[in-house]
Amino acid sequence: QVQLQQSGPGLVKPSQTLSLTCAISGDSVSSSSAAWNWIRQSPSRGLEWLGRTYYRSKWYNDYAVFVKSRTTINPDTSKNQFSLQLNSVIPEDTAVYYCARDSLLTGDLAFDIWGQGTMVTVSS
Amino acid sequence: QSALTQPASVSGSPGQSITISCTGTSSDVGGYNYVSWYQQHPGKAPKLMIYDVSNRPSGVSNRFSGSKSGNTASLTISGLQAEDEADYYCSSYTSSSPLVVFGGGTKLTVL
């Protein structure tokens, strides 16, 4: 079955870059019927979709406008994974970060497979 | 404040049915049939229970059903079981950024 395995640091200093990776097994980051998303969850802001990358004859990215200027989501086809980079982090970026798949089989932007979550704290 | 409005909590006894509402606008819930529902147990990732308003992914119990009327979507759980106690979140595609918005979550307590 499809699984997503997240990795990355749990503590990031303010103004630095948050970097997380999501390794895919059982599917392909280059699949033409899936998209690969990052979502975060905090008590104060709830669930927030950050963005996604997907392949439809070429690579596309969509980002939430509130993080677009600070965010990059990249696929890595050689390792079958994708990553999140969030620059210039502030304490309000503290959250549990999830990677998630949305598949054409379950409708657009319905997240059927999730990573285990990574608690990221922004603090000096 | 979340884009979609859900009640903070609902409760029911085993065997009963409960319904959780999710209210948005014509730019999200009311405008598209792309409403999803997620179940989240403490310390776990959300689990997709309903997509495209009323469709169940493979493996999800038919005790879970979804519907929509106007700008409000609903999740109904019938035959409540202790294992259904969790937080439930709705989401919807939206015509503006971000592409998807979530509700604030509803805590279901099985009495």
Side-chain angles (χ1 to χ4, degrees):
Chain A
Q1 74 276 24
V2 181
Q3 292 185 318
L4 302 178
Q5 181 67 40
Q6 299 177 218
S7 59
L11 180 63
V12 183
K13 289 181 168 54
S15 80
Q16 295 193 342
T17 296
L18 180 161
S19 295
L20 296 173
T21 299
C22 184
I24 304 163
S25 59
D27 200 347
S28 170
V29 71
S30 303
S31 168
S32 294
S33 60
W36 307 97
N37 301 260
W38 287 99
I39 297 162
R40 70 183 182 185
Q41 184 176 29
S42 65
S44 58
R45 300 169 69 96
L47 284 161
E48 295 182 299
W49 177 82
L50 301 178
R52 65 179 177 176
T53 188
Y54 57 99
Y55 186 78
R56 303 288 186 268
S57 302
K58 69 175 186 177
W59 288 101
Y60 293 88
N61 287 96
D62 295 311
Y63 297 108
V65 67
F66 66 90
V67 290
K68 184 174 182 178
S69 63
R70 301 193 288 137
T71 305
T72 303
I73 297 174
N74 280 328
D76 183 342
T77 57
S78 66
K79 296 181 179 179
N80 200 29
Q81 63 187 29
F82 62 107
S83 63
L84 169 71
Q85 286 195 310
L86 182 63
N87 302 323
S88 305
V89 296
I90 59 177
E92 288 71 25
D93 292 317
T94 294
V96 177
Y97 286 75
Y98 292 100
C99 58
R101 182 186 81 167
D102 76 87
S103 165
L104 294 181
L105 296 175
T106 51
D108 198 16
L109 291 164
F111 309 108
D112 63 340
I113 305 293
W114 294 67
Q116 80 274 24
T118 301
M119 177 67 216
V120 178
T121 301
V122 177
S123 175
S124 54
Chain B
Q1 187 169 351
S2 298
L4 305 180
T5 301
Q6 298 180 232
S9 63
V10 298
S11 63
S13 299
Q16 289 186 332
S17 296
I18 63 95
T19 297
I20 300 172
S21 62
C22 170
T23 302
T25 69
S26 58
S27 295
D28 39 63
V29 174
Y32 308 93
N33 289 324
Y34 294 133
V35 176
S36 299
W37 289 92
Y38 299 89
Q39 176 192 67
Q40 186 177 34
H41 287 109
K44 300 294 187 182
K47 175 186 176 183
L48 180 66
M49 305 302 284
I50 296 287
Y51 67 94
D52 291 354
V53 175
S54 60
N55 293 309
R56 279 188 308 276
S58 175
V60 172
S61 171
N62 60 9
R63 298 186 298 106
F64 292 83
S65 62
S67 62
K68 189 184 84 167
S69 178
N71 294 337
T72 298
S74 299
L75 172 71
T76 297
I77 308 173
S78 59
L80 269 180
Q81 300 179 359
E83 67 211 47
D84 299 332
E85 186 163 290
D87 294 326
Y88 291 84
Y89 295 88
C90 62
S91 73
S92 174
Y93 172 83
T94 176
S95 56
S96 60
S97 180
L99 293 180
V100 59
V101 288
F102 290 91
T106 298
K107 181 175 181 57
L108 168 62
T109 300
V110 180
L111 302 171

